Amino acid sequence: LEEIAKTPYLDALYIGPSDLSIGMSNGALQHSLDREEPEVIEAIQRIVAVAHDNGIRAALHCGTPEYAARGVEWGFDMVTVGADSALLAQGAANLTKTFRGLIS
């Protein structure tokens, strides 16, 4: 981690908690965006600290606004407030519901 953070011209470290947890557990943990395992939270907090110690930004991929708010509390410079596929599905569902209401 420290060597990665020292890479010349690197602007940020961007964490995908699901990928991080799968890698940390050698695949034992299933895919899930907003991880709650203490060891994953500790790793996430360590990554943001190492990024800042090396003068670069830290970003966190989140599945919910609530987890994104926690990321801000942990010191992240950028967080997502939802996953792209979930946002697309939610938008499509809202449009379909509106459309069906208009034609019924």
Side-chain angles (χ1 to χ4, degrees), residues 14-55:
Y14 185 80
I15 302 171
S18 183
D19 295 334
L20 176 65
S21 63
I22 290 170
M24 287 177 59
S25 71
N26 292 320
L29 293 173
Q30 297 297 313
H31 168 75
S32 177
L33 288 177
D34 299 345
R35 306 309 303 210
E36 295 295 337
E37 298 84 1
E39 65 274 17
V40 177
I41 300 294
E42 182 178 319
I44 288 171
Q45 291 173 332
R46 178 172 172 254
I47 292 168
V48 73
V50 169
H52 290 163
D53 288 347
N54 285 277

Side-chain angles (χ1 to χ4, degrees), residues 97-104:
K97 180 180 177 182
T98 300
F99 173 71
R100 287 181 177 156
L102 293 170
I103 63 169
S104 54

Side-chain angles (χ1 to χ4, degrees), residues 2 4 7 13 20-21 23 35 39-40 42 52 65 72 74 78-79 84-85 87-89 91-92 101-102:
E2 285 77 6
I4 292 170
T7 301
L13 297 178
L20 176 65
S21 63
R35 306 309 303 210
E39 65 274 17
V40 177
E42 182 178 319
H52 290 163
V72 170
W74 292 330
M78 185 191 88
V79 295
D84 54 354
S85 57
L87 293 170
L88 287 170
L102 293 170

